[in-house]
Amino acid sequence: MSNYHIPVLLEESLNYLVGNRSGIYFDGTLGFGGHSQGILNLLNENAQLISTDVDANAFEHSKKKFTDDARVKIYNFNFQKIDIIAKIESIKRFDGVFADLGVSSYQYDSPSAGFTYRQDAKLDLRLDKSIAVNASDIINSYSEEDIADLIYKYGEEKNSRKIASSICRSRTQKRIETTVELYNIISEITSAKYLIKTLSRVFQALRIYVNDELDILKSFIHKAVDLLIKGGRIVILSYHSLEDRIIKDAFKFESLDCICPKDYPVCRCDKESRLKILTRKPIIPSNDEVVRNPRSRSAKLRAAERI
Ligand SMILES: C[S@@+](CC[C@H](N)C(=O)[O-])C[C@H]1O[C@@H](n2cnc3c(N)ncnc32)[C@H](O)[C@@H]1O
């Protein structure tokens, strides 16, 4: 399993993230431990790494992987709980906070996880299986308008209304339970040329919605900034434009020292600048990396420093 996911932009992530080799670091998306291992390789024996993943398989696997390394603590929490984890560990500040968003290749390819239309699986898409509502519940119970809206908002799919209408027609015959059933519904109304892109967008939309990924990401970034030491770094890898926009906007907001309306003659807000943006433009993988690991092709890295 550990070879199943190749860490993306590894060297670039570590270069931005690790300054103090005796520091305390947080990896919010442990997965199969690729980036966590890279961080540990740069740290000395006094350092600490706290890593977490909502996915139970990733947690179990990585717990075993790092069991002999006393510098590491592994959690099976959402990264949004970074503040709670810091409290449990009596950590006041981190030297670096890292996240590599989305799902691992293992989750993506595992038929039991139901993350892709490429495998026939239960239409689930929950990263954390304790979440009450899965993708199939949504598809079978939401109104046509709500389904269309969420496919449009989180998948940026312009045929969202047509897809929602087809889903609602199909579910009157039979409950839609599997990834392949959804695949078939979409393929009947989409030309072969656009099918893969459309399917990717619809599955992306459902995954983001089911896991509340965008709101969680936003709150994680602001909590992480609260917990960074001055000079500490936050580094985030994202894989689609909606995530990247959240990161870009949150970093920008944290870098501003005034948010007063433009027509105010003097500043009346108490806003303080807490971040210096280190990547004006996001870092993307080299052509070599994309050839070695095609799943890296949409990656974007943004980094910032606590001031
Ligand atoms: C792209 S993979 C990370 C791979 C890892 N960097 C590696 O090299 O092995 C993303 C991981 O983040 C986890 N994940 C996604 N959202 C999460 C969240 N909000 N909190 C914690 N883990 C999350 C997923 O379960 C998945 O294992």
Side-chain angles (χ1 to χ4, degrees):
M1 263 206 236
S2 51
N3 296 329
Y4 212 78
H5 182 89
I6 306 169
V8 172
L9 286 167
L10 179 61
E11 211 184 309
E12 295 84 347
S13 302
L14 299 175
N15 283 343
Y16 275 110
L17 185 71
V18 180
N20 175 6
R21 289 178 185 245
S22 318
I24 307 175
Y25 290 84
F26 182 88
D27 178 357
T29 52
L30 170 65
F32 291 88
H35 287 92
S36 279
Q37 185 63 66
I39 296 167
L40 285 166
N41 292 346
L42 293 177
L43 300 182
N44 66 32
E45 69 279 6
N46 306 316
Q48 247 181 294
L49 173 67
I50 315 294
S51 298
T52 189
D53 201 297
V54 272
D55 181 272
N57 288 325
F59 166 74
E60 289 300 338
H61 174 88
S62 292
K63 205 168 134 190
K64 278 193 206 115
K65 175 175 169 138
F66 294 116
T67 190
D68 293 331
D69 195 327
R71 299 172 297 172
V72 194
K73 288 275 175 57
I74 307 285
Y75 281 81
N76 187 199
F77 284 11
N78 195 300
F79 59 52
Q80 192 190 23
K81 296 189 176 159
I82 182 172
D83 49 344
I84 294 170
I85 297 175
K87 254 196 200 121
I88 297 171
E89 294 293 332
S90 305
I91 291 169
K92 290 222 158 52
R93 294 276 180 263
F94 291 104
D95 292 85
V97 171
F98 175 75
D100 173 20
L101 304 174
V103 291
S104 64
S105 301
Y106 172 76
Q107 288 161 313
Y108 199 69
D109 291 339
S110 162
S112 60
F115 279 110
T116 171
Y117 52 86
R118 292 174 208 271
Q119 308 264 5
D120 192 8
K122 223 173 142 347
L123 185 59
D124 187 325
L125 296 172
R126 289 170 303 165
L127 288 165
D128 172 357
K129 300 298 180 212
S130 69
I131 295 173
V133 177
N134 68 24
S136 167
D137 299 328
I138 288 162
I139 285 293
N140 287 290
S141 66
Y142 278 31
S143 71
E144 184 174 326
E145 194 185 353
D146 286 349
I147 294 173
D149 286 349
L150 86 83
I151 292 174
Y152 186 74
K153 184 167 173 200
Y154 300 117
E156 299 182 309
E157 169 55 52
K158 57 182 185 328
N159 282 326
S160 58
R161 308 241 155 256
K162 194 169 157 196
I163 294 167
S165 153
S166 188
I167 286 171
C168 291
R169 215 175 314 118
S170 171
R171 76 186 185 191
T172 59
Q173 319 283 314
K174 179 189 170 297
R175 205 180 134 84
I176 302 157
E177 300 274 10
T178 68
T179 51
V180 163
E181 283 164 7
L182 184 57
Y183 176 105
N184 290 337
I185 293 165
I186 294 170
S187 66
E188 270 169 27
I189 53 161
T190 311
S191 73
K193 189 173 164 202
Y194 298 112
L195 183 58
I196 299 297
K197 281 223 157 109
T198 305
L199 286 163
S200 303
R201 292 193 194 111
V202 173
F203 275 75
Q204 171 189 300
L206 287 168
R207 200 194 80 209
I208 291 176
Y209 183 81
V210 165
N211 297 292
D212 193 17
E213 291 182 18
L214 300 182
D215 283 343
I216 284 179
L217 175 58
K218 210 183 290 175
S219 107
F220 165 68
I221 294 173
H222 296 301
K223 284 183 183 179
V225 178
D226 293 342
L227 286 163
L228 272 179
I229 200 163
K230 287 203 164 54
R233 302 270 179 96
I234 178 165
V235 178
I236 308 188
L237 302 185
S238 66
Y239 295 86
H240 57 75
S241 57
L242 295 172
E243 284 172 345
D244 184 53
R245 209 173 302 145
I246 300 267
I247 301 160
K248 186 178 163 199
D249 291 349
F251 281 12
K252 171 101 192 287
F253 178 82
E254 289 289 2
S255 74
L256 297 174
D257 56 9
C258 172
I259 48 167
C260 289
K262 285 206 168 47
D263 54 351
Y264 278 25
V266 286
C267 173
R268 281 192 232 151
C269 69
D270 292 331
K271 176 84 176 58
E272 50 165 340
S273 167
R274 303 201 297 167
L275 282 185
K276 179 172 88 185
I277 294 169
L278 302 174
T279 47
R280 287 275 151 215
K281 289 220 161 111
I283 309 295
I284 57 170
S286 64
N287 290 340
D288 272 4
E289 176 163 5
V290 175
V291 170
R292 261 186 293 117
N293 180 13
R295 282 190 181 161
S296 69
R297 69 185 174 277
S298 53
K300 286 188 175 152
L301 179 159
R302 290 189 187 267
E305 185 174 295
R306 180 76 166 89
I307 49 177

